[in-house]
Amino acid sequence: ECKKPKFRDFIPAAKSEVPPESEISFHVSRGSDPHSVTAEAKAEKMTVKVQDKVAFLLVTAKLPASLREGFARIHVTAKAASEGVCAGQDGWLIKIKGEEKAATPAAAQESK
C-alpha cells in the first residue's frame, strides 16, 4: 500500500512577499525518506537541510541567489521510506521583493 508523503506548514506562507535569498521551511510527514526530499524554485534546485523531528521531517532551504523580483513557485517532492515507488509532491507561490527604487528629487518635492 502506497502512503504518499504529505507536506504542511509552509514558511513563508503562500503569496507572501519576501526578500531575495530568504529561508524557506516546511514539514514532511513521518514515514518519508529524508534523503529523497527536494525543493526547487523556477526550476532551480535548492540545497535542503532535513531534520528528523520524530513525528515529521523539518526541511529548510534558502532561495537561490539568482531569483530576483517577481513570483516564484516553490515545488517540493519526497518519496515514502517503504519499498516501491511512492512519491508525493506539493508547492506554493511566493513573491520576491524587488530593489527599492530611490525617490527622485522631483517626486519628493511633489509630495510636500
Side-chain angles (χ1 to χ4, degrees):
E1 176 181 328
C2 175
K3 190 168 184 180
K4 290 183 179 182
K6 294 194 181 345
F7 304 86
R8 63 182 176 87
D9 300 335
F10 300 109
I11 297 174
K15 299 179 185 169
S16 294
E17 190 171 2
V18 300
E21 299 183 62
S22 292
E23 186 171 276
I24 65 157
S25 69
F26 56 94
H27 294 172
V28 184
S29 60
R30 189 169 161 258
S32 301
D33 177 1
H35 302 292
S36 72
V37 179
T38 68
E40 61 181 52
K42 288 194 172 182
E44 289 193 47
K45 294 194 182 301
M46 293 183 259
T47 302
V48 295
K49 180 179 173 188
V50 181
Q51 298 174 14
D52 188 347
K53 296 292 188 178
V54 182
F56 60 89
L57 300 176
L58 172 61
V59 183
T60 56
K62 192 174 179 181
L63 291 173
S66 60
L67 295 183
R68 294 290 176 216
E69 186 174 4
F71 288 93
R73 178 172 169 77
I74 301 178
H75 181 74
V76 295
T77 64
K79 293 180 182 172
S82 60
E83 294 293 319
V85 180
C86 187
Q89 63 180 351
D90 205 338
W92 72 107
L93 186 70
I94 59 169
K95 183 177 182 184
I96 300 169
K97 292 180 185 175
E99 300 290 323
E100 292 297 320
K101 306 283 191 272
T104 61
Q109 286 290 29
E110 290 173 15
S111 65
K112 289 185 179 179

